[in-house]
Amino acid sequence: MTTVYDIPPDRLIRKVAEKLRHMSEFNPPEWTKFVKTGVHKERAPEQEDWWWVRVASIFRKVYINGPIGIERLRTAYGGRKNRGVKPEKFRKGSGSIIRKALQQLEDAGFVKRTKEGRIVTPKGRSFLDKIADEIKREIPELSKY
């Protein structure tokens, strides 16, 4: 059986974002048109579908690294803050974006909260593995894996 580990992350995230876009549980909040993805960014995302891509990326990270909490995800989505002539420093990503994305994944039944952090449910694991299998069939080069 094909799993998330067998597929390139960029293709998987794009395909999952496409599927999530058509599900009623995943709607971007109103503030997503104006928000930056972290204090280290200078502008808001330019992509129209950035919300679904971020939710898909968080979904994949919970699958691979779970149980995982919001603080570890904030660190994963952080980056270097340009402070002018001063040296750059690392800053964490937006916690609100990650929190809302995880709440939507929980409402859909793909992720559940435990004492240690968020983990993927069997329904979520099945959803991602089916998409990974579809991608593997589309790309003949991946058949040797």
Side-chain angles (χ1 to χ4, degrees):
M1 178 76 188
T2 307
T3 63
V4 170
Y5 301 102
D6 305 328
I7 303 298
D10 58 335
R11 291 181 188 247
L12 179 74
I13 290 170
R14 277 278 158 214
K15 189 83 163 184
V16 171
E18 202 175 287
K19 299 268 187 185
L20 295 179
R21 188 176 199 146
H22 301 294
M23 296 176 75
S24 62
E25 293 92 354
F26 298 97
N27 293 316
E30 293 176 15
W31 45 260
T32 55
K33 297 175 189 142
F34 315 107
V35 73
K36 299 189 306 179
T37 58
V39 295
H40 63 285
K41 296 289 187 180
E42 292 190 10
R43 291 188 285 173
E46 294 178 359
Q47 294 176 316
E48 291 290 324
D49 65 340
W50 77 269
W51 178 259
W52 294 282
V53 172
R54 179 58 60 100
V55 172
S57 176
I58 289 171
F59 192 11
R60 181 184 170 274
K61 281 201 182 288
V62 172
Y63 182 101
I64 291 173
N65 301 326
I68 190 169
I70 292 172
E71 282 301 311
R72 278 187 43 206
L73 287 168
R74 284 186 67 198
T75 302
Y77 288 102
R80 290 184 310 177
K81 169 80 172 158
N82 184 357
R83 304 186 315 150
V85 294
K86 296 182 280 188
E88 287 139 349
K89 277 191 172 179
F90 179 82
R91 295 287 183 239
K92 291 182 179 178
S94 171
S96 180
I97 292 172
I98 294 168
R99 201 172 303 107
K100 300 292 183 207
L102 286 170
Q103 287 170 357
Q104 289 183 359
L105 287 166
E106 286 174 11
D107 290 343
F110 293 149
V111 172
K112 73 175 180 179
R113 185 186 298 183
T114 64
K115 186 179 176 187
E116 294 84 26
R118 295 331 198 278
I119 59 170
V120 176
T121 62
K123 179 182 175 184
R125 188 170 298 275
S126 171
F127 179 77
L128 284 178
D129 288 343
K130 283 179 185 174
I131 293 174
D133 194 47
E134 288 175 19
I135 293 171
K136 189 171 182 180
R137 290 182 187 173
E138 291 173 5
I139 306 168
E141 294 87 30
L142 292 175
S143 62
K144 56 186 164 190
Y145 296 106

